[in-house]
Amino acid sequence: MENNYEVIVIGSGLSGLSIAYILAKNGFKVAVFEKNAQFGGCLQSFKREGVTFETGMHYVGSIEEGQILHKYFNYLSILNDIELSSLDKSCYDIIDFRGERYSYANGHENFVETLSQKFPYNVNDIKEYVKAIHNVTENSPYYSFKGFDSLNILDPAHVKTSINGYISQITNNETLQNVLTGNIPLYAGLKDKTPLYIHALISDFYINSAYRIVGSSDNIAKSLVKSLKNMGVDVFNNSEVKKIICNERQVTAIELNDGNRVETKYLISSIHPEYLLQMIDSNLIRKAYRERICSMEQTVSTFTVFIKFKENTVPYLNSNFFKYRDETIWDCETYTEESWPKSYLYMHQCSEKDQKFAKGAILFAYMNYADVMQWNGTRIGRRGADYEEFKKIKAEKLLSCLEKDMPGILSNIDNYWTSTPLTYQDYTATKEGSTYGVVRDVSSPIQTTISQRTKIPNLFLTGQNTNSHGVLGVIISSVITASELLGKEFLINQINKFE
């Protein structure tokens, strides 16, 4: 390990690896420090009894040639290192609401036509919805690559309008309102809080195209790590940053858990901002800023069941299944012991192209951190018998819900494993195991926005908390942050040469 770098990146999630790639590509001497053994953050996967399971990123969108993620992946040299398997273009997502199943289809016209079969009297409403969410994408330059002369990354109107509020203006059909927002587990939307842009960017992203990554999404992380090493970037795992050292003006170095000190000209953090602030003892970070960051509401976490099937018993489901057990898709994060789970998301793991039978699946439901708070501070694998019993009870209840919707599925399960918000917190270093970082609130858009800039001039932030979550959101966050060092026009022109 050298003791001086131009740029140090803390955290090896997608945003951290992406910004390291961008800066190294442009001549910076970069090092990445990851506290865990495995690189990738939410891209991490694990294997149990021969089955590989995703932990965070389960499918990608807008990745066909000419689409936005294809451009970014091509720029980051990822495309040649991953294999893609298309989800069913007629129903990449299935929304099960009030006992009826509704399909999301790829392509704007197909999306309208497919849902119109269920809502023949609301065809114009569905057309207006598709047009509206696509308009949000087109008005965001980092998604459309248009209008970069604008000072705004997003239209302020899209930031100050709630999802449910906007969709209720488009249609007065209550069932259609719920169905159109049936993918909220992809961003943990909150009624009257979550801005329209978050829903719109995610939904339009998948309407364009939807694919699973064959094997697992950690192939993305492996691709980036390989490229970084080829460019001479030092990438360290099992290397936790314990302290950030500042002088009276700026960051000068980091201190690792082994006591080593490494100097740097620029520091970029892709970890949760609150955890970053715990490492900094400097008057350059104002008390008001600390208090705002530390008081921000976090998106809900999840309880997950990782399922291994008996061989050749369960046909591969080439769609994602969103189930709602209540009269609304909203407020599923608010529940009682009896009403949990109000909803769940079920998806199969893609182990090969043209798959006939599923080897494994992921089943998850919202779970609040308060449910596992009593085990806070315990270590993985050493949380005690009462914790294991808690997980067993929750898993059996969630699996019994799945059995009602997929009759016979329980008899085909060979084994299963579980994770809670504590697991997610330990492996991804997100506060309270939050799935998507801080909550954005239309009633206080400035207070719930975290800039990539800080009061320390050479300290920058990147990741889902500074822009939007998801594979595209965090890549764009890395582009926005990298622009602080490279210049926006230069970097965008560089990326725009890729298709």
Side-chain angles (χ1 to χ4, degrees):
M1 181 188 299
E2 299 188 30
N3 62 4
N4 196 310
Y5 295 92
E6 264 188 290
V7 180
I8 285 177
V9 178
I10 303 176
S12 71
L14 180 57
S15 61
L17 294 176
S18 296
I19 196 167
Y21 180 98
I22 294 168
L23 295 177
K25 182 183 181 73
N26 285 284
F28 283 83
K29 182 183 178 183
V30 183
V32 179
F33 291 87
E34 168 59 49
K35 76 170 188 175
N36 291 325
Q38 188 174 351
F39 297 111
C42 291
L43 297 173
Q44 294 177 70
S45 67
F46 66 94
K47 184 175 285 190
R48 291 289 184 274
E49 297 182 4
V51 181
T52 300
F53 294 101
E54 308 272 12
T55 61
M57 197 189 77
H58 305 296
Y59 63 126
V60 298
S62 295
I63 199 167
E64 293 179 354
E65 192 169 349
Q67 296 177 348
I68 183 62
L69 189 61
H70 189 280
K71 179 191 289 282
Y72 280 118
F73 269 21
N74 197 12
Y75 173 75
L76 294 168
S77 302
I78 293 171
L79 286 174
N80 290 333
D81 293 326
I82 61 173
E83 185 178 13
L84 299 167
S85 177
S86 176
L87 287 164
D88 190 330
K89 292 186 178 296
S90 66
C91 58
Y92 63 90
D93 283 346
I94 299 171
I95 312 299
D96 188 312
F97 178 67
R98 294 178 182 171
E100 189 76 26
R101 294 183 181 181
Y102 305 86
S103 296
Y104 288 178
N106 286 132
H108 293 91
E109 291 183 5
N110 288 338
F111 187 94
V112 173
E113 182 180 346
T114 299
L115 269 189
S116 295
Q117 294 172 18
K118 294 282 190 177
F119 300 97
Y121 301 107
N122 298 97
V123 176
N124 289 333
D125 296 346
I126 300 169
K127 286 181 179 178
E128 179 62 24
Y129 165 79
V130 169
K131 180 181 177 182
I133 64 168
H134 188 62
N135 182 55
V136 174
T137 304
E138 287 297 295
N139 276 278
S140 178
Y142 288 94
Y143 289 75
S144 66
F145 275 75
K146 300 174 185 176
F148 273 100
D149 53 338
S150 171
L151 295 176
N152 294 314
I153 296 172
L154 296 160
D155 187 324
H158 302 152
V159 176
K160 297 178 180 179
T161 304
S162 70
I163 307 161
N164 55 294
Y166 190 83
I167 290 180
S168 66
Q169 296 173 20
I170 288 179
T171 180
N172 58 12
N173 185 319
E174 183 185 342
T175 301
L176 179 58
Q177 290 174 13
N178 279 275
V179 170
L180 290 175
T181 48
N183 62 354
I184 56 169
L186 300 181
Y187 52 90
L190 295 174
K191 189 175 184 180
D192 299 326
K193 278 192 176 184
T194 304
L196 168 64
Y197 80 87
I198 290 180
H199 170 85
L201 295 176
I202 289 289
S203 296
D204 195 58
F205 178 63
Y206 287 116
I207 288 176
N208 291 329
S209 63
Y211 286 78
R212 288 183 179 142
I213 295 173
V214 178
S216 78
S217 60
D218 73 350
N219 289 328
I220 296 172
K222 290 175 181 176
S223 172
L224 285 167
V225 169
K226 179 188 72 173
S227 294
L228 290 173
K229 290 179 177 179
N230 287 341
M231 290 190 289
V233 174
D234 289 333
V235 186
F236 302 101
N237 60 344
N238 295 313
S239 299
E240 183 176 2
V241 178
K242 299 294 289 185
K243 187 177 180 180
I244 294 169
I245 301 165
C246 303
N247 60 21
E248 66 279 3
R249 293 178 292 106
Q250 62 185 19
V251 171
T252 58
I254 61 168
E255 186 177 298
L256 301 174
N257 55 346
D258 61 4
N260 278 333
R261 177 170 170 159
V262 186
E263 297 181 356
T264 187
K265 185 176 180 181
Y266 298 102
L267 182 65
I268 297 172
S269 171
S270 69
I271 66 174
H272 194 287
E274 183 171 339
Y275 293 155
L276 174 73
L277 292 180
Q278 293 172 5
M279 304 174 190
I280 304 174
D281 181 16
S282 169
N283 291 330
L284 294 171
I285 300 293
R286 296 176 181 174
K287 181 180 178 182
Y289 180 79
R290 287 184 185 273
E291 290 177 347
R292 180 172 74 87
I293 296 298
C294 295
S295 65
M296 281 182 159
E297 182 182 0
Q298 307 299 310
T299 51
V300 70
S301 190
T302 64
F303 178 82
T304 308
V305 182
F306 302 94
I307 302 168
K308 178 191 176 185
F309 294 119
K310 296 174 183 176
E311 189 173 357
N312 297 337
T313 59
V314 178
Y316 178 67
L317 178 63
N318 205 21
S319 308
N320 305 305
F321 185 76
F322 296 77
K323 171 68 178 185
Y324 294 92
R325 304 175 64 231
D326 208 344
E327 290 300 302
T328 175
I329 60 96
W330 296 102
D331 303 319
C332 293
E333 71 285 347
T334 305
Y335 52 80
T336 63
E337 186 73 24
E338 293 73 28
S339 66
W340 185 89
K342 286 186 176 180
S343 65
Y344 67 78
L345 173 55
Y346 172 70
M347 56 183 69
H348 285 176
Q349 300 291 273
C350 182
S351 57
E352 59 187 4
K353 287 287 284 284
D354 303 318
Q355 196 162 324
K356 303 301 181 186
F357 292 95
K359 293 182 179 179
I362 295 176
L363 173 66
F364 62 85
Y366 286 162
M367 178 172 280
N368 293 306
Y369 191 74
D371 292 5
V372 294
M373 186 66 183
Q374 63 180 299
W375 297 287
N376 183 43
T378 59
R379 295 175 60 186
I380 294 171
R382 298 182 181 180
R383 304 200 197 277
D386 53 346
Y387 177 73
E388 296 303 321
E389 181 63 18
F390 168 84
K391 292 198 296 177
K392 182 175 182 291
I393 291 170
K394 292 296 184 182
E396 289 177 352
K397 188 169 184 180
L398 188 51
L399 287 167
S400 70
C401 293
L402 180 63
E403 174 71 16
K404 292 176 182 177
D405 296 306
M406 310 280 178
I409 199 75
L410 288 183
S411 63
N412 294 320
I413 294 177
D414 186 37
N415 205 351
Y416 70 82
W417 302 266
T418 58
S419 70
T420 73
L422 288 174
T423 320
Y424 206 76
Q425 177 179 253
D426 288 343
Y427 280 106
T428 64
T430 58
K431 185 180 179 182
E432 299 177 354
S434 166
T435 46
Y436 306 117
V438 300
V439 169
R440 272 72 170 187
D441 190 341
V442 295
S443 65
S444 53
I446 295 176
Q447 291 80 2
T448 56
T449 297
I450 300 176
S451 171
Q452 72 274 14
R453 299 177 183 177
T454 71
K455 291 297 182 180
I456 300 177
N458 65 338
L459 171 64
F460 300 95
L461 311 180
T462 191
Q464 65 179 1
N465 292 293
T466 64
N467 178 52
S468 183
H469 66 278
V471 58
L472 183 56
V474 298
I475 288 175
I476 289 175
S477 79
S478 70
V479 171
I480 293 170
T481 305
S483 297
E484 297 288 336
L485 276 64
L486 296 170
K488 181 174 71 173
E489 186 175 352
F490 168 81
L491 183 53
I492 291 307
N493 287 336
Q494 186 180 80
I495 297 172
N496 216 12
K497 294 176 182 177
F498 291 79
E499 292 298 337

